[in-house]
Amino acid sequence: MTTTADELTIERRGHARSAARRRTNFVIFLGPAIVLTVLFFVVPVIIDIAVSFTDLSRSLRISEFTTEQYEKVFRTDRRLSQVITLTFIYVFGTLAIFNVTFGLILAITTTAIRKVSGSFFRGVWLLPRMSPSVLYILLWLWAVSPTEAGLVNQVLMQAFGLDAPLDLLTSAPIALIIISNGFIGASMGMIIFTAAIRGIPEHLFHAAAVDGAGTFAKVRFITLPALRWPISFVTIYQTLSLLVSFEYILLLTKGGPFYDTTVYALYVYRRAFESGQYGYGAALALFLIVIGVVVALIGWRFFDMERLLQRPRIEVH
Amino acid sequence: MAKIEFRNVVKRFGDVEVIPDMNLVIEDGEFVALLGPSGCGKSTSLFMLAGIYLPSGGELLFDGHVVNEVEARDRNVGIVFQSYALYPHMSVRDNILFPLRFKKTPRDEALARVKAAADLVRVEELLDRRPSELSGGQQQRVALARALVKEPKLLLLDEPLSNLDASLRLSMRTEIKSLHAQLGVTTVLVTHDQIEATTMADRIICMRAGRIEQVGTPDDLYLKPSSLFVASFIGSPPINLIAGEADGGTVSVNDVRFPVDGASGSVTVGLRPEHLRFSNTGFAGRIAQIEPMGREILYVVETGMGAVRVLEQGSAAGHSTGEEVRIGFQPENSLVFATKGQKLIAGAHVRAPI
Ligand SMILES: Nc1ncnc2c1ncn2[C@@H]1O[C@H](COP(=O)(O)OP(=O)(O)OP(=O)(O)O)[C@@H](O)[C@H]1O
Ligand SMILES: [Mg+2]
């Protein structure tokens, strides 16, 4: 015969076991992610903060703890405002023209044409993303080479009768970094938007066609509303990655001529590793980290990212 | 309103010929049902009428004009899809309004028409909701309102009732029928449910594997099915089909002999359960199973020819399982099909053995 007390003990033991199980699950599932976050985010941030309060430089010796680096950021570094303006132009230009708009156009057109040709074009657009950055930029350097051998100059001179070759690297460097980044950046939007477009039930397009919608009306009333969340996602994600990445610019223009194409992240790099001002680089980098976290949080709230992570509401019978 | 005509219409998807050769006339203002099993090409035919699919061959005519190449948006048809296909991000009002956007209807008039259409299908209370906040039946009504708001000359319904529960289906059946009577718009209903087809449509087009098997009124299809396929598709519970050999005025099925007029060779005898009755004469059997169906009772009777279904009026079973019975019928209710070719042999009937 079991008494109530016995039953209670059994039940409590059950609870204890499920609580233990929950704890193990937590460690198993989230453990790796937490370890990685701590190793590659929390620890570096702490080191960065520590270094930013020192005068660490090329000699790699810390002689004093100081707030001098922050004074430099806010008071004496005159170049910083130019760098920040350029960063805005670069990030929003690339994002607005290529990563979202062009990605969207690619996704819409390649899903509208025949399946085989659509996949082929998307495959071609993905190639540069899969090739090493150095190779990709080498091709660009050849394309915009300021001699008659450069691809752009060949086209301009032979087809449009231009007299002397152009030097785009010095005359239009900002446009060049936006275009070279955008060509690759657009492919991510393209893939995500393509998947989302594929997920729209076909009968919605049929219904719209019968209701009188033409091609553009179908895009406007069916496709774009269904892409609201993917567009938000790509915008946030790409803003962050454009803010922090600079390898294409470094390879293509080295930030020049002079500081003309030095975006913030590259500026940090140049300060720290070219001029050897590690302390100052660390202080600058801290702002990038703060901006990154803030953008991510704003995005989370503003674009309703939580809903993006939920199950789709589209009804399939 | 429009008169519709299919002339040798062919539809292929790549190498697959889904509709080999379709010929059909639907009169102005008629309510017809396309009836057939899953995959027989009902939706494909409907989508060709809507302009969603273009015919691969032949001619499709609206009021005598070939519309093969006319785009969906220029055909002025209304369609309700099997899954309703309401625009998920628009309110019910905007959904119903959508077709009018492209007709340059003045805003006031458009809203008045939305209101009228919503009243017609009784969704006026729901105009501000999203489709995801509606029940299946409500979504179906909204889809109907969206199809009707532009005053189409042809209304297409693709299995509109298949997602509804039994009682809602019954009431929507009546409502769609009375809407048709009220508006007089030519209507094509696609369904695989024979009861839906027989209760709603003036005429039924029975399809099988992309071909029209028979066209006729519900009575035609029930009383004179042109083939075994139609006979077995129409009627519930399904018709009893008994294969035998006709020779010298009798059809022999195992040891049972039916006197027959007008048939010889291999035949299949069709006897509807509701036409069979227990009597003192007829073929013998033993009741194996009793299924009460409310106002009727279905008996499954084991006979020398296999299981035979008998439907009896009344709510209380007059017989019990295991009982030995004899089954008779009126000769004019019997159908005889040639087993080869599966076509009805017109005028041929069998009589119950004595
Ligand atoms: N877009 C398409 N591409 C290739 N084959 C198709 C396509 N649409 C339909 N089919 C084929 O055509 C045939 C008829 O399809 P259809 O949708 O007209 O059937 P249905 O009679 O409406 O069936 P259900 O009752 O299941 O809806 C099927 O065999 C189907 O596989
Ligand atoms: Mg169908």
Side-chain angles (χ1 to χ4, degrees):
Chain A
M1 198 186 86
T2 53
T3 64
T4 320
D6 285 342
E7 276 170 19
L8 270 178
T9 329
I10 292 169
E11 202 181 305
R12 225 174 282 136
R13 206 180 299 145
H15 273 303
R17 198 176 302 152
S18 80
R21 157 118 41 85
R22 230 174 291 142
R23 231 169 293 135
T24 351
N25 281 351
F26 179 78
V27 172
I28 292 174
F29 285 104
L30 282 182
I34 291 174
V35 169
L36 287 178
T37 312
V38 169
L39 266 183
F40 294 104
F41 185 75
V42 180
V43 171
V45 167
I46 292 169
I47 295 176
D48 185 85
I49 294 174
V51 171
S52 73
F53 285 99
T54 69
D55 62 347
L56 187 70
S57 69
R58 196 155 276 158
S59 61
L60 290 182
R61 222 176 302 120
I62 299 171
S63 50
E64 56 168 346
F65 288 94
T66 162
T67 55
E68 166 196 345
Q69 311 296 5
Y70 289 95
E71 248 161 67
K72 225 181 196 173
V73 174
F74 289 110
R75 297 249 173 79
T76 47
D77 191 341
R78 283 170 203 285
R79 191 156 289 133
L80 208 49
S81 64
Q82 180 205 339
V83 167
I84 290 171
T85 314
L86 174 75
T87 309
F88 265 100
I89 295 173
Y90 166 71
V91 170
F92 290 105
T94 315
L95 203 60
I97 301 172
F98 286 99
N99 294 10
V100 173
T101 311
F102 195 54
L104 205 53
I105 291 172
L106 281 175
I108 290 172
T109 47
T110 57
T111 45
I113 57 178
R114 274 187 28 240
K115 220 172 179 163
V116 184
S117 357
S119 307
F120 174 74
F121 278 117
R122 281 198 301 277
V124 169
W125 272 104
L126 271 180
L127 280 179
R129 187 176 278 277
M130 291 186 285
S131 58
S133 341
V134 178
L135 197 67
Y136 172 69
I137 292 300
L138 271 179
L139 284 175
W140 268 102
L141 283 174
W142 166 66
V144 299
S145 154
T147 65
E148 281 155 33
L151 178 70
V152 177
N153 280 323
Q154 277 187 36
V155 171
L156 287 179
M157 291 169 80
Q158 312 232 322
F160 296 95
L162 196 77
D163 295 330
L166 293 178
D167 184 0
L168 292 170
L169 275 173
T170 44
S171 59
I174 297 175
L176 220 52
I177 61 168
I178 289 180
I179 294 172
S180 59
N181 256 284
F183 267 39
I184 287 198
S187 61
M188 173 178 167
M190 174 186 78
I191 289 178
I192 290 180
F193 300 147
T194 301
I197 291 173
R198 286 268 164 76
I200 303 173
E202 177 123 54
H203 52 234
L204 288 184
F205 292 107
H206 291 163
V210 173
D211 283 346
T215 310
F216 286 103
K218 278 189 231 169
V219 169
R220 180 172 155 213
F221 293 111
I222 310 292
T223 312
L224 287 182
L227 293 183
R228 226 193 94 211
W229 293 332
I231 289 174
S232 313
F233 170 73
V234 168
T235 307
I236 296 169
Y237 185 88
Q238 297 272 18
T239 304
L240 287 177
S241 69
L242 282 169
L243 269 178
V244 298
S245 71
F246 57 86
E247 79 262 31
Y248 292 127
I249 305 176
L250 183 66
L251 289 165
L252 190 62
T253 65
K254 299 190 178 56
F258 199 46
Y259 275 87
D260 283 2
T261 55
T262 301
V263 295
Y264 193 89
L266 182 55
Y267 187 62
V268 175
Y269 171 86
R270 289 181 75 173
R271 279 291 171 205
F273 298 101
E274 282 179 12
S275 329
Q277 299 167 295
Y278 297 115
Y280 187 44
L284 287 171
L286 194 62
F287 289 95
L288 204 54
I289 294 167
V290 172
I291 291 172
V293 171
V294 168
V295 169
L297 289 179
I298 290 176
W300 186 269
R301 284 218 62 80
F302 181 72
F303 288 122
D304 216 355
M305 284 274 284
E306 259 171 274
R307 291 177 74 180
L308 187 70
L309 302 176
Q310 275 174 10
R311 280 154 50 75
R313 287 283 219 108
I314 289 168
E315 243 181 294
V316 183
H317 65 273
Chain B
M1 312 301 118
K3 176 184 173 182
I4 309 297
E5 208 174 333
F6 286 83
R7 280 194 197 150
N8 305 104
V9 169
V10 181
K11 180 63 194 174
R12 281 180 223 103
F13 292 109
D15 296 338
V16 190
E17 201 166 65
V18 174
I19 310 275
D21 179 20
M22 185 153 172
N23 285 286
L24 176 68
V25 179
I26 301 167
E27 296 298 336
D28 192 3
E30 216 181 355
F31 192 141
V32 300
L34 280 180
L35 176 68
S38 188
C40 71
K42 306 180 298 285
S43 298
T44 305
S45 314
L46 204 72
F47 284 6
M48 282 196 285
L49 285 175
I52 295 166
Y53 294 161
L54 300 182
S56 320
E59 285 180 335
L60 192 61
L61 295 95
F62 282 16
D63 288 326
H65 301 287
V66 178
V67 295
N68 282 26
E69 302 293 324
V70 177
E71 286 202 47
R73 57 171 157 167
D74 300 323
R75 289 196 187 187
N76 196 20
V77 301
I79 182 165
V80 174
F81 291 87
Q82 184 164 359
S83 47
Y84 311 141
L86 296 177
Y87 308 119
H89 51 276
M90 294 183 200
S91 68
V92 166
R93 178 179 289 105
D94 288 340
N95 261 283
I96 304 177
L97 188 67
F98 194 70
L100 299 179
R101 270 175 190 276
F102 304 101
K103 291 201 154 188
K104 312 263 180 295
T105 318
R107 181 95 187 148
D108 290 345
E109 192 199 324
L111 286 176
R113 278 169 69 176
V114 168
K115 174 95 181 39
D119 282 349
L120 196 63
V121 297
R122 305 205 318 264
V123 292
E124 63 273 23
E125 311 279 296
L126 310 172
L127 286 175
D128 292 311
R129 295 211 201 158
R130 291 285 176 104
S132 57
E133 298 161 352
L134 302 180
S135 74
Q138 291 167 334
Q139 289 188 35
Q140 201 261 341
R141 285 161 207 266
V142 173
L144 202 55
R146 184 179 65 184
L148 290 172
V149 74
K150 55 182 162 180
E151 289 161 8
K153 54 182 178 184
L154 175 62
L155 180 62
L156 306 172
L157 309 169
D158 192 358
E159 314 224 13
L161 308 182
S162 58
N163 286 346
L164 307 183
D165 67 43
S167 70
L168 201 54
R169 194 177 304 182
L170 210 69
S171 65
M172 280 313 295
R173 227 152 69 184
T174 325
E175 277 180 40
I176 291 178
K177 208 172 161 177
S178 69
L179 263 180
H180 174 257
Q182 202 177 329
L183 304 173
V185 56
T186 314
T187 304
V188 182
L189 167 81
V190 159
T191 177
H192 59 255
D193 179 349
Q194 49 109 6
I195 297 183
E196 227 166 88
T198 49
T199 51
M200 292 167 77
D202 304 328
R203 273 198 312 157
I204 296 175
I205 295 129
C206 190
M207 290 183 70
R208 176 195 198 179
R211 292 177 193 279
I212 294 178
E213 193 83 2
Q214 187 175 3
V215 179
T217 61
D219 270 357
D220 288 341
L221 268 67
Y222 179 77
L223 296 173
K224 288 194 230 66
S226 66
S227 66
L228 273 175
F229 175 80
V230 179
S232 53
F233 208 81
I234 303 276
S236 162
I239 192 167
N240 295 298
L241 294 173
I242 302 156
E245 285 298 321
D247 189 21
T250 46
V251 177
S252 322
V253 188
N254 300 337
D255 51 354
V256 187
R257 309 230 178 302
F258 296 96
V260 65
D261 297 323
S264 63
S266 285
V267 296
T268 302
V269 175
L271 295 169
R272 294 203 182 272
E274 56 273 32
H275 292 152
L276 297 178
R277 56 187 148 66
F278 299 118
S279 65
N280 298 326
T281 59
F283 55 89
R286 200 172 57 81
I287 296 178
Q289 207 175 313
I290 301 179
E291 295 176 16
M293 299 181 22
R295 295 176 163 275
E296 290 148 345
I297 294 169
L298 181 69
Y299 295 91
V300 181
V301 182
E302 255 344 300
T303 70
M305 312 168 292
V308 169
R309 285 176 298 271
V310 180
L311 199 65
E312 193 188 46
Q313 299 296 321
S315 50
H319 303 268
S320 50
T321 336
E323 196 178 319
E324 300 287 340
V325 290
R326 287 169 84 90
I327 299 167
F329 54 88
Q330 295 296 321
E332 63 270 23
N333 285 334
S334 66
L335 300 165
V336 182
F337 301 89
T339 302
K340 186 163 168 284
Q342 315 221 315
K343 293 284 175 232
L344 183 76
I345 303 172
H349 292 291
V350 293
R351 271 169 281 140
I354 300 169

